[in-house]
Amino acid sequence: MSYCVEERGRANSLDYRLYFKNSEGKYVSPFHDIPVFADEAQNIFNAVIEVPRWTNAKMEIATKDALNPLKQDVKKGNLRYVANVFPHKGYIWNYGAIPQTWEDPNHKDGDTGCCGDNDPIDICDIGDKVCSQGEVIQVKVLGTLALIDEGETDWKVIVINTEDPQASEFNDIEDVRRLKPGFLEATVDWFRRYKVPDGKPENQFAFNGEFKNRDFAIKTIKDTHSFWRAMVTKQSDAGELNCMNTCVADSPFRCSHGDAEAVVKSASAFGPGEPIPSSVDKWFYYEK
């Protein structure tokens, strides 16, 4: 099934939202209604692109909002843009999340010793195509990095778009090291330092910053999928997260398509975007 997005509000403003629709034109939640698997037999997963490569606006699935549209993260009342930490420009991959996964904040990971960060599991797409906000792509999983973000487990799964011309050559994390030399090191460097310009300390990693392989990553995704299923069927506590969905058959949070449409119609009308602040283009130099 294919998906598209509908814009509401004004881009680069607090009211901007991207709502998702399926191929039938029905509104859906990218968190709950898009299947985790595109092809389970082949371990091909769906991924929702939140932030296209080279851009800075920290767009994310709004896990606490009805229908979970994409919106820009806000800190202290201001829209959040990720800093350019030399030599990087914005995000260095297409960044997003795998639907129907949840890093349960009440579950302490046996490998990292930390609880989950309360979000869907993150992906970094290393394919050549620069994707668009809200694009849903099919990906091969190659490995994962275990970021410890302010004491929480925050998995970063390395994937490649199945439509990439080189996709067949990438099957595990060592293929990335061999075919894209320096890219894994740049990824660790990016995640370690991206919050430093905001006055925060460097991020830490489990496994001494080493990447785990494909099989480990796939198991991690499947574990977070089971945590999501427990949440959306009310077998575990969702807390502040919004589990409204239109497609999960056994979920008590399932709503009608009319209810979903009412949510979108209540959002701000689409209008001209605001300019991106010039400060977003600043480059930060940081001595390792």
Side-chain angles (χ1 to χ4, degrees), residues 1 22 30 44 77 108 112 118 131 133 170 228 233 254 259:
M1 183 172 286
N22 62 19
I44 303 298
K108 181 178 283 189
T112 68
N118 206 30
C131 294
Q133 284 180 2
F170 288 85
W228 166 84
T233 55
R254 188 177 181 184
D259 289 339

Side-chain angles (χ1 to χ4, degrees), residues 38-286:
D39 183 341
E40 186 171 2
Q42 299 295 320
N43 279 315
I44 303 298
F45 295 86
N46 283 310
V48 177
I49 300 302
E50 299 164 313
V51 187
R53 189 195 300 128
W54 311 136
T55 65
N56 301 72
K58 194 177 190 308
M59 300 293 293
E60 59 187 15
I61 292 172
T63 56
K64 298 177 183 178
D65 293 2
L67 287 186
N68 315 115
L70 289 194
K71 71 175 184 180
Q72 192 166 348
D73 190 22
V74 175
K75 285 287 175 72
K76 298 179 179 178
N78 296 314
L79 294 174
R80 188 173 171 198
Y81 294 90
V82 166
N84 305 305
V85 181
F86 185 83
H88 309 304
K89 168 65 178 82
Y91 286 72
I92 62 172
W93 343 257
N94 295 301
Y95 189 75
I98 295 180
Q100 296 189 341
T101 62
W102 179 47
E103 297 192 58
D104 186 348
N106 299 306
H107 172 79
K108 181 178 283 189
D109 188 275
D111 292 304
T112 68
C114 297
C115 294
D117 72 348
N118 206 30
D119 283 326
I121 202 165
D122 297 318
I123 62 98
C124 301
D125 163 44
I126 67 168
D128 288 344
K129 176 186 174 184
V130 177
C131 294
S132 57
Q133 284 180 2
E135 188 172 349
V136 179
I137 63 173
Q138 286 71 56
V139 298
K140 293 170 68 173
V141 169
L142 305 174
T144 188
L145 180 68
L147 177 67
I148 306 300
D149 190 353
E150 298 181 15
E152 297 174 331
T153 302
D154 189 5
W155 295 103
K156 307 299 181 185
V157 180
I158 308 301
V159 304
I160 190 166
N161 191 332
T162 56
E163 294 184 357
D164 189 271
Q166 286 188 290
S168 62
E169 301 177 49
F170 288 85
N171 296 293
D172 213 323
I173 199 67
E174 289 306 315
D175 295 325
V176 184
R177 198 179 305 280
R178 177 172 56 87
L179 296 170
K180 292 183 182 281
F183 200 64
L184 295 182
E185 292 80 1
T187 295
V188 172
D189 183 64
W190 195 98
F191 281 117
R192 188 188 307 280
R193 302 194 288 152
Y194 81 101
K195 290 185 177 181
V196 171
D198 297 328
K200 294 189 176 182
E202 291 185 348
N203 278 322
Q204 304 300 311
F205 304 90
F207 314 114
N208 295 315
E210 292 298 319
F211 288 82
K212 306 302 284 186
N213 66 14
R214 170 186 178 273
D215 290 344
F216 186 102
I218 288 174
K219 179 183 182 303
T220 301
I221 297 168
K222 290 180 176 178
D223 287 346
T224 59
H225 176 60
S226 68
F227 298 150
W228 166 84
R229 176 154 289 285
M231 173 181 66
V232 83
T233 55
K234 246 181 181 176
Q235 296 173 51
S236 64
D237 183 13
E240 296 182 78
L241 302 191
N242 194 305
C243 296
M244 181 182 189
N245 67 83
T246 62
C247 301
V248 185
D250 55 346
S251 172
F253 302 102
R254 188 177 181 184
C255 72
S256 69
H257 290 295
D259 289 339
E261 187 172 343
V263 169
V264 180
K265 287 188 179 299
S266 69
S268 299
F270 177 63
E274 298 289 335
I276 296 175
S278 60
S279 58
V280 172
D281 290 329
K282 182 179 178 181
W283 236 342
F284 290 85
Y285 295 83
Y286 173 60

